[in-house]
Amino acid sequence: MINKEVKFFKEIDYINNPRYKENAKILINLLPDYFFEVPASSTGKYHPSFALGKGGLVRHTKVAVRIANELFNDESVSGAYTKNEKDLMLIGLMLHDGLKSGFVKSEYTNFDHPLLVSNYIKENKDKLTLKDNEINFLCSVIERHMGPWNTNNYSDVVLPKPETRFQRFVHMCDYLASRKFLDVKFDSNDDIEG
């Protein structure tokens, strides 16, 4: 059995609010086992080499969270957000692709995975100590993380586009983490070096 929250020990440590840290652990532990094993892209076309192969989705997620945290260390960015907003966006990035292949692993990405994750969080809110407005914030940044890629030839679903600065920030971090020009180095524990 995978110790899920340990995989995100460093990323959870970026969160300041202790209550949010506990909720992040609960939500990470609810993710399906396949999340910790699959590549970020089922075809290999849409992500850099570090996000391919076994555990690639976890590495992609870690890079998105690291990008956010690095930006939060820059006061010209971080001054635009409260501590709680930053914490919730970090949790949103940790979970944004949590059901990328559906509830039960499918061969390809489920296009509606942002909505699946959002609904999953809402369905499990009785396990959380998050308030309704915190859950709504978290779900809104996850639902809109795909940005302009909100339609798909194989699905009738139209995903909502980012509208708020929080939704745009989460989309930007995910987008940057998927750029093929990035060459992020990982150690044997799938932790980002440096």
Side-chain angles (χ1 to χ4, degrees), residues 87-146:
D87 284 351
L88 288 170
M89 288 189 284
L90 289 170
I91 296 169
L93 284 163
M94 287 178 211
L95 299 170
H96 77 280
D97 281 341
L99 293 171
K100 193 163 186 177
S101 296
F103 290 102
V104 177
K105 184 184 177 297
S106 61
E107 185 177 353
Y108 297 106
T109 296
N110 280 40
F111 179 70
D112 63 345
H113 70 275
L115 304 178
L116 295 178
V117 175
S118 175
N119 289 335
Y120 197 52
I121 291 168
K122 291 173 186 173
E123 289 167 6
N124 285 285
K125 77 179 201 173
D126 61 318
K127 298 177 175 103
L128 307 172
T129 60
L130 294 175
K131 300 172 186 161
D132 285 345
N133 65 317
E134 294 166 331
I135 289 173
N136 291 338
F137 182 101
L138 182 59
C139 290
S140 80
V141 299
I142 292 170
E143 289 169 0
R144 296 166 185 269
H145 81 263
M146 294 291 289

Side-chain angles (χ1 to χ4, degrees), residues 9-75:
F9 175 78
K10 284 186 176 180
E11 292 75 18
I12 292 168
D13 200 44
Y14 297 153
I15 299 168
N16 289 298
N17 184 317
R19 183 170 59 86
Y20 288 177
K21 281 186 188 205
E22 290 310 308
N23 282 277
K25 291 175 186 177
I26 292 166
L27 289 164
I28 289 167
N29 283 315
L30 288 171
L31 295 176
D33 289 350
Y34 78 74
F35 172 82
F36 299 87
E37 300 166 358
V38 299
S41 173
S42 54
T43 63
K45 290 192 282 188
Y46 303 109
H47 287 81
S49 59
F50 68 78
L52 304 179
K54 185 174 181 174
L57 186 54
V58 167
R59 291 187 296 276
H60 159 75
T61 302
K62 285 174 169 270
V63 170
V65 173
R66 179 68 176 267
I67 288 169
N69 192 59
E70 291 292 332
L71 290 168
F72 291 153
N73 288 326
D74 177 344
E75 68 181 42

Side-chain angles (χ1 to χ4, degrees), residues 67 82-83 123 169:
I67 288 169
T82 68
K83 286 182 180 180
E123 289 167 6
F169 182 86

